[in-house]
């Protein structure tokens, strides 16, 4: 494990200390958990952005989703109660 000195604004420091006391855990454990969560979120967002960029680049090419397969997927989601075909095609919700 490595040590890392991190100066915090007084408000952040006080909030961290108060939360650590309330949860009865060391403030360093809370800080470590928060940093780990943030790093996982950054990786998740980067992965999402890469997939979205690839999908946009591949739209309309041979790598795009086959229309019959897409329709089958929409129908399967509708059967499972996850969405409706009209909602999936238009992006609009039913009222």
């Amino acid at each position: 494990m490595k040590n890392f000195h991190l100066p915090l604004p007084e408000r952040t420091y006080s909030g961290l200390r108060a939360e650590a006391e309330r949860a009865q855990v060391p403030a360093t454990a809370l800080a470590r958990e928060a940093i780990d969560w943030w790093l996982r979120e950054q990786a998740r967002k980067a992965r999402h952005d890469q997939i979205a960029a690839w999908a946009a680049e591949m739209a309309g090419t041979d790598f795009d989703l086959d229309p019959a397969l897409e329709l089958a997927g929409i129908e399967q989601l509708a059967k499972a109660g996850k969405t409706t075909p009209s909602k999936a095609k238009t992006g609009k919700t039913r009222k």
Side-chain angles (χ1 to χ4, degrees):
M1 187 164 302
K2 301 278 187 178
N3 286 327
F4 186 80
H5 178 72
L6 179 64
L8 297 173
E10 185 62 37
R11 185 175 176 180
T12 303
Y13 179 83
S14 296
L16 178 62
R17 283 286 178 198
E19 185 58 28
E21 190 173 306
R22 186 196 66 74
Q24 297 180 347
V25 296
T28 53
L30 286 182
R32 191 177 304 115
E33 183 180 326
I35 292 168
D36 286 343
W37 174 85
W38 185 84
L39 290 171
R40 283 190 308 274
E41 280 299 300
Q42 296 312 299
R44 186 191 65 76
K45 288 176 185 176
R47 186 173 48 251
H48 175 271
D49 292 348
Q50 290 171 343
I51 291 169
W54 182 85
E57 185 180 334
M58 294 299 125
T61 71
D62 289 341
F63 291 106
D64 202 354
L65 196 57
D66 179 271
L69 180 60
E70 185 175 12
L71 183 58
I74 292 169
E75 290 172 353
Q76 183 63 33
L77 287 172
K79 286 179 188 174
K82 302 287 182 188
T83 188
T84 61
S86 61
K87 181 179 173 183
K89 287 181 183 176
T90 65
K92 297 179 183 174
T93 58
R94 280 191 185 174
K95 292 190 178 185

